[in-house]
């Protein structure tokens, strides 16, 4: 899928759906730095898109950029307040910051 998305971007460089697909593939391959760069670029085209914000937050968590990841997940929640992926992301970030009672609140909201 990643190769197809990358090839598609050669013909349609601004296609946000292809960028989202490639970002997901890069995350799955553990290429988090590349995923962050690509997804941040996509956010310039589609600010506030939770389908970009959540994988961006995941990539940032994988790079141990916990505070930044939490802010990205919180932004996703401003767009889509009931996103279980964003709620789980905030909970994970808060837990890594040793803010366990706050994390628990987000876990309960995600249920």
């Amino acid at each position: 899928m990643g190769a197809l998305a990358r090839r598609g971007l050669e013909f349609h460089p601004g296609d946000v759906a292809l960028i989202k697909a490639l970002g997901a593939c890069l995350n799955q391959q553990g290429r988090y730095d590349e995923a962050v760069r690509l997804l941040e670029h996509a956010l310039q085209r589609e600010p506030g898109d939770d389908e970009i914000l959540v994988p961006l937050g995941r990539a940032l968590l994988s790079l141990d950029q916990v505070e930044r990841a939490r802010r990205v997940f919180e932004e996703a929640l401003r767009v889509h307040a009931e996103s279980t992926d964003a709620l789980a992301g905030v909970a994970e970030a808060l837990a890594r910051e040793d803010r366990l009672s706050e994390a628990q609140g987000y876990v309960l909201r995600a249920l």
Side-chain angles (χ1 to χ4, degrees):
M1 176 65 173
L4 288 175
R6 194 175 296 279
R7 182 81 171 134
L9 284 172
E10 291 176 14
F11 294 100
H12 305 283
D15 188 312
V16 175
L18 289 172
I19 292 170
K20 290 176 190 179
L22 183 55
C25 289
L26 291 170
N27 267 343
Q28 289 175 345
Q29 294 171 357
R31 296 165 61 185
Y32 305 117
D33 287 320
E34 290 177 73
V36 167
R37 281 192 302 276
L38 184 73
L39 293 167
E40 285 179 336
H41 176 72
L43 273 180
Q44 293 174 1
R45 293 181 176 276
E46 297 288 329
D49 185 330
D50 64 318
E51 291 180 1
I52 298 170
L53 290 164
V54 170
L56 174 58
R58 284 272 150 229
L60 291 167
L61 276 179
S62 296
L63 293 169
D64 290 323
Q65 296 183 27
V66 178
E67 182 180 343
R68 188 170 165 210
R70 180 178 43 80
R71 288 193 312 264
V72 168
F73 286 126
E74 289 169 344
E75 184 178 342
L77 288 174
R78 283 190 285 281
V79 175
H80 186 238
E82 299 306 315
S83 168
T84 55
D85 291 332
L87 288 165
V90 172
E92 183 176 346
L94 288 169
R96 288 193 193 186
E97 295 173 330
D98 290 325
R99 297 166 59 184
L100 300 180
S101 62
E102 291 175 78
Q104 183 180 21
Y106 281 92
V107 170
L108 292 174
R109 280 181 58 193
L111 300 175

